[in-house]
Amino acid sequence: MAQELPIVFPWPGQEALGQDLISRLGWEAGHAELRRFPDGESYVRILSEVKGKTVIICASLDSPDEKLAPLLWLAATARELGATKIVLVAPYLAYLRQDARFQEGEGVTSRYFAALMSRHFDALLTVDPHLHRYRSLDEVYSIPARAMSAAPEIAAWVRGEVERPVFLGPDQESDQWVSRVAELAGAPYAVAEKRRLGDRQVELALPDVEAWRGFTPVLVDDIISTAGTMLETLGQLKAKGWPPAVCIGVHAIFAGKAYQDLSVAGPRAIVTCNTIPHPSNRIDLGESLSQALKEML
Ligand code: R5P
């Protein structure tokens, strides 16, 4: 008997990347009805046949709390209807930043979230997860969890668009992304030192980049959330007489009016990957994500 093709369910509102995976891989498109009852509970109905198939749910987990219940019910429904394997493709994976108990009494939510996902899914694929105190996803996820990197695509974009770039990472943990991108782009890099003072406020000490005067600063971070980190770095560069920097984030969270605030600060460009749909998406990860998914299965 011919093996069933995997079936991909793109998350509502994020259809573009899911549909792209479907057409690149020639897999089946899954259809489901997800909505809220008037009382706020989630309604889930799978409209495609999933029995005997590998089900892939492609959902970026920005605003995770809103998505969590319908995501788990969708996975549970697929399992009950006979799916053989359920894979979560979360181009942006949430709940990794609370990776320690920073203050007495806090919940280490990265662990709880990972445990929950590991119970409902059989495998996970994501892009540049925020790994700081964890060295790999395996420290918290008990299912096969693969992290792919957007570094090759970011480096290619910079090579095509920016002359004489010097890369800057805002903090120690950004070293893992910035060093890779810089190496692939054949350009210098340095990382700053950051101390978070609150949800929106950071204190930052720029590294010495005087040797690269005349270069174009390119800030690279995994997540742009409140944009506080980018704004502080931009401001300090400006105060030192550097030209406007290019701001690159892998994941375009842009909480509240963060995108507006960052645009007003006058960077040369704000560029993100298409892990979360946003007007700043310039870097397409469809090809590498589909390759990684194919390899994973
Ligand atoms: C955390 O350390 C991350 O790598 C980012 O630097 C951080 O999430 C950015 O957040 P925000 O845009 O709120 O400064």
Side-chain angles (χ1 to χ4, degrees), residues 28-50:
E28 191 185 340
H31 300 281
E33 185 185 345
L34 301 183
R35 64 178 176 85
R36 288 215 188 267
F37 285 112
D39 62 1
E41 289 185 5
S42 298
Y43 172 87
V44 168
R45 182 180 175 204
I46 293 182
L47 303 165
S48 309
E49 180 60 77
V50 294

Side-chain angles (χ1 to χ4, degrees), residues 239-262:
K240 292 194 166 168
W242 281 78
V246 177
C247 295
I248 303 183
V250 178
H251 307 295
I253 296 278
F254 291 115
K257 54 190 236 334
Y259 185 55
Q260 220 178 313
D261 294 345
L262 189 55

Side-chain angles (χ1 to χ4, degrees), residues 22-281:
I22 291 166
S23 38
R24 284 175 191 276
L25 295 165
W27 291 351
E28 191 185 340
H31 300 281
E33 185 185 345
L34 301 183
R35 64 178 176 85
R36 288 215 188 267
F37 285 112
D39 62 1
E41 289 185 5
S42 298
Y43 172 87
V44 168
R45 182 180 175 204
I46 293 182
L47 303 165
S48 309
E49 180 60 77
V50 294
K51 194 171 166 53
K53 296 179 188 170
T54 294
V55 164
I56 291 143
I57 301 177
C58 185
S60 233
L61 298 180
D62 51 307
S63 303
D65 293 11
E66 280 168 26
K67 290 182 184 140
L68 192 56
L71 181 67
L72 298 184
W73 308 157
L74 184 61
T77 310
R79 178 112 41 217
E80 225 169 52
L81 295 179
T84 47
K85 187 172 185 183
I86 305 179
V87 178
L88 175 63
V89 176
Y92 170 66
L93 184 61
Y95 278 110
L96 274 166
R97 279 175 289 177
Q98 186 76 30
D99 56 3
R101 181 166 289 118
F102 301 102
Q103 296 187 67
E104 207 181 318
E106 280 179 353
V108 186
T109 48
S110 53
R111 278 202 273 113
Y112 317 150
F113 186 77
L116 190 61
M117 292 293 133
S118 300
R119 273 204 294 280
H120 286 82
F121 293 91
D122 301 308
L124 166 72
L125 172 63
T126 188
V127 180
D128 287 322
H130 185 83
L131 296 173
H132 181 194
R133 287 169 192 84
Y134 302 129
R135 269 160 309 151
S136 84
L137 290 172
D138 299 340
E139 282 186 39
V140 274
Y141 281 80
S142 56
I143 50 174
R146 173 158 180 197
M148 57 156 271
S149 164
E153 284 80 2
I154 296 177
W157 185 89
V158 173
R159 273 200 311 269
E161 302 288 333
V162 185
E163 260 180 57
R164 295 222 295 166
V166 53
F167 289 93
L168 264 181
D171 48 30
Q172 217 60 66
E173 61 259 42
S174 70
D175 197 295
Q176 56 188 303
W177 302 290
V178 186
S179 58
R180 181 93 204 284
V181 173
E183 188 192 334
L184 293 168
Y189 85 96
V191 294
E193 267 181 42
K194 180 174 95 178
R195 199 161 71 88
R196 188 162 281 286
L197 305 175
D199 286 348
R200 292 168 187 278
Q201 226 194 335
V202 296
E203 194 177 71
L204 197 121
L206 275 187
D208 183 6
V209 281
E210 283 311 309
W212 298 298
R213 274 281 170 193
F215 284 53
T216 305
V218 179
L219 317 185
V220 179
D221 208 352
D222 59 336
I223 299 167
I224 309 179
S225 177
T226 65
T229 302
M230 287 278 176
L231 284 166
E232 182 61 31
T233 319
L234 272 179
Q236 291 202 21
L237 283 169
K238 192 173 171 188
K240 292 194 166 168
W242 281 78
V246 177
C247 295
I248 303 183
V250 178
H251 307 295
I253 296 278
F254 291 115
K257 54 190 236 334
Y259 185 55
Q260 220 178 313
D261 294 345
L262 189 55
S263 307
V264 167
R268 183 171 144 183
I270 305 172
V271 173
T272 59
C273 301
N274 61 341
T275 56
I276 300 171
H278 189 267
S280 61
N281 290 170

